[in-house]
Amino acid sequence: MMARDRGEDRPAVPRRFRRKVGTVAAGVAAVAVYLIGMQAAGALTPPQVNNRWAWSLPPGMPQPRVPADNPMTRGKVAIGHRLFYDVRLSGNETQSCSTCHQPQLAFTDGKTTSVGSTGETLPRNSPSIVDSAYRTTLTWANPALTSLESQMDVPLFATHPVELGVNDRNKGAILNRLRKDPWYAKRFPRVFPTAKHPVSWTNVIRSIASFERSIVSANSKYDRYLQGKAELSAEERRGMDLFMGEEGECHHCHGSFLFDDQDTYVGSPEERPKFHNTGLYNVGETGEYPYPNRGLYEISGKAKDMGAFRAPSLRNVVRTAPYMHDGSVATLKEVVENYAAGGRVITEGPYAGDGRKNPHKDPLISGIHLSERDEEDLVAFLTTLTEPDFSKISRFADPFKHGKNAARGNDE
Ligand code: HEC
Ligand code: HEC
């Protein structure tokens, strides 16, 4: 599944989007190339014909890849937008995707780890789905999940633990709930004109994935700074220099246009997705992470993959607390302190151990000298990556504003 073709048939695309910015000057230069590149990407954008989708991408954002069997259309995005917020999609009508991916929290849920519709606790912290169109692999550590369509099997149908709780017993009944809604009844047949049964799980999944792909955003203070439209304070600049420089090392794993290191887009180079152990745990000094959160190891069973997780995007990171795969770090200040120490030391309880000495730790997490002020500056820089509140942008916000019943009759 990871062995894809090397992309010979694709145009050779400069590595500009994966730039490893060593200095601020290099960063600004890279951005200039980047903006020129965008004009080329613009030329690939299909014209807005009928229902065809036209990307309106912010400057600096490449064109997302879209699966051949699920092209973007405005109709699918509209249906997916509503389904994403629709609690009728869960077995007991208590949860929707947005329960755990809330727009005002950059589509996370603010919990340490999420809780499913039947009350079961999930092992992981809910990640942001902003810009998820660009992720090479989805979720915290699963190289097999490479499309938004396939990822959705988890929240919809998972049984250990249950998320939305769709199962063989209620599958048909849930689709009937949707068929009875005049809004869906009118749109599904129009948007899927050749389908014998337009309201199907396949089409539900295709629509929600299309909506997720449409959530592309790059409108933070930092983006405006790159475009010459905003100034960074002295503190934020110092934080940026630390982040981008060899002292902080952050950019090695958070150096892309999304501040992560796993991105795919039209023309991107094919790369093996990376996962890293950042020394968060070292249970009983064995190198172990707590089950079932042992990262890539849960899938590969290889010792070297113990504790290896995907570096998450740091866009909107002030809104996505608590942090890390298990939400075990409460604040950005603590995240930075752990990096400064070269790992986290847990002194008591079942997970006690010195993460700094985890044998599987990525060598880049070696401890960095940061003064109190450096740490504050880094946090100030991370704060510049905050976008406008997504719950205030109508094409992303909850369409059921006045409650489920109002929305059922609402015909836009
Ligand atoms: C009960 C809470 C919950 C619900 C409901 C839920 N999710 Fe999630 N979602 C999570 C958690 C937790 C993860 C991380 C899982 C992991 O890493 O193992 C996640 C991961 C994701 C990801 C991967 C994001 C990334 O950056 O890799 C996507 C996409 C996603 N969910 C979409 C959805 C969609 C679409 C729905 C509705 C069909 C949904 N989720 C419903 C909690 C939830
Ligand atoms: C070797 C790669 C690597 C380096 C270097 C690195 N990170 Fe990370 N970062 C990760 C990984 C992997 C995670 C997730 C780890 C986990 O959940 O166990 C992460 C998580 C984070 C998070 C939490 C984000 C969230 O949504 O939970 C923040 C904030 C962060 N890193 C900031 C930084 C900063 C600041 C630096 C530089 C001081 C840095 N990182 C250096 C790989 C790296």
Side-chain angles (χ1 to χ4, degrees):
M1 78 258 158
M2 279 162 60
R4 285 186 239 138
D5 72 58
R6 306 308 297 171
E8 279 87 356
D9 56 332
R10 298 206 183 87
V13 159
R15 302 192 137 225
R16 60 180 179 271
F17 297 122
R18 302 199 135 250
R19 69 190 195 275
K20 303 280 191 252
V21 184
T23 65
V24 178
V28 173
V31 166
V33 179
Y34 203 89
L35 294 174
I36 295 163
M38 283 321 297
Q39 292 170 358
L44 300 171
T45 307
Q48 187 144 352
V49 189
N50 304 325
N51 196 20
R52 291 285 297 276
W53 177 258
W55 290 105
S56 69
L57 296 166
M61 297 298 261
Q63 187 167 326
R65 283 192 195 189
V66 176
D69 63 357
N70 191 20
M72 295 290 281
T73 68
R74 283 184 287 154
K76 270 189 267 186
V77 172
I79 292 178
H81 182 183
R82 179 156 293 228
L83 287 170
F84 186 88
Y85 286 96
D86 197 333
V87 293
R88 285 170 289 181
L89 207 57
S90 60
N92 59 14
E93 302 195 56
T94 59
Q95 284 198 345
S96 67
C97 308
S98 71
T99 307
C100 304
H101 301 286
Q102 299 176 20
Q104 73 280 11
L105 299 175
F107 294 97
T108 63
D109 66 3
K111 294 195 164 76
T112 303
T113 67
S114 302
V115 179
S117 61
T118 56
E120 286 185 81
T121 300
L122 276 50
R124 306 255 169 93
N125 176 261
S126 166
S128 172
I129 59 157
V130 176
D131 301 322
S132 55
Y134 298 110
R135 309 247 190 279
T136 311
T137 73
L138 293 151
T139 72
W140 283 96
N142 190 343
L145 285 182
T146 56
S147 80
L148 290 166
E149 287 79 0
S150 61
Q151 188 280 328
M152 229 175 295
D153 282 351
V154 185
L156 289 173
F157 307 117
T159 51
H160 299 292
V162 170
E163 296 189 35
L164 294 178
V166 180
N167 55 43
D168 287 340
R169 276 166 289 126
N170 63 25
K171 257 179 161 173
I174 293 175
L175 291 182
N176 280 332
R177 286 179 201 156
L178 303 180
R179 287 185 190 113
K180 278 198 220 124
D181 178 320
W183 195 95
Y184 291 121
K186 188 162 131 195
R187 279 176 182 72
F188 268 96
R190 263 200 227 152
V191 171
F192 300 99
T194 57
K196 197 160 158 216
H197 302 290
V199 184
S200 64
W201 283 105
T202 305
N203 291 341
V204 162
I205 289 170
R206 288 183 170 163
S207 301
I208 298 176
S210 299
F211 170 62
E212 291 182 287
R213 269 188 197 104
S214 78
I215 311 177
V216 171
S217 186
N219 190 15
S220 64
K221 183 176 183 184
Y222 177 72
D223 295 298
R224 293 194 303 279
Y225 161 76
L226 291 181
Q227 296 157 28
K229 293 180 189 155
E231 290 286 327
L232 297 188
S233 69
E235 209 188 1
E236 291 162 349
R237 270 172 171 279
R238 275 175 36 84
M240 175 172 72
D241 289 347
L242 284 166
F243 189 94
M244 305 291 188
E246 291 311 313
E247 178 62 29
E249 313 258 39
C250 317
H251 68 96
H252 290 291
C253 306
H254 299 283
S256 77
F257 62 108
L258 299 181
F259 299 87
D260 60 6
D261 67 351
Q262 277 200 19
D263 312 297
T264 179
Y265 46 87
V266 172
S268 63
E270 296 282 333
E271 280 182 13
R272 212 185 156 84
K274 300 182 197 94
F275 300 89
H276 318 267
N277 177 319
T278 60
L280 272 189
Y281 293 96
N282 187 4
V283 179
E285 314 294 330
T286 59
E288 293 255 339
Y289 269 47
Y291 171 84
N293 281 333
R294 296 171 298 179
L296 201 52
Y297 177 86
E298 299 290 354
I299 288 174
S300 74
K302 292 183 186 148
K304 69 173 176 60
D305 295 332
M306 178 60 73
F309 288 90
R310 187 186 71 180
S313 166
L314 301 183
R315 285 189 172 271
N316 302 300
V317 73
V318 290
R319 295 228 176 87
T320 68
Y323 301 107
M324 304 301 180
H325 64 272
D326 58 358
S328 63
V329 182
T331 65
L332 284 175
K333 186 81 189 322
E334 288 169 62
V335 172
V336 171
E337 282 164 7
N338 289 338
Y339 280 116
R344 175 171 67 180
V345 184
I346 301 178
T347 50
E348 52 191 30
Y351 304 141
D354 187 345
R356 296 172 304 181
K357 297 190 185 131
N358 192 307
H360 312 293
K361 200 177 71 169
D362 191 301
L364 286 166
I365 312 290
S366 54
I368 41 183
H369 178 74
L370 295 178
S371 67
E372 184 73 13
R373 182 173 160 201
D374 292 339
E375 291 179 3
E376 280 160 15
D377 292 345
L378 263 175
V379 173
F381 171 65
L382 293 174
T383 307
T384 69
L385 308 180
T386 312
E387 319 254 343
D389 180 344
F390 294 104
S391 69
K392 305 236 160 76
I393 302 174
S394 61
R395 69 194 172 104
F396 302 141
D398 187 347
F400 296 85
K401 277 188 210 99
H402 307 291
K404 189 163 81 173
N405 293 324
R408 278 181 190 185
N410 168 9
D411 200 23
E412 274 191 342

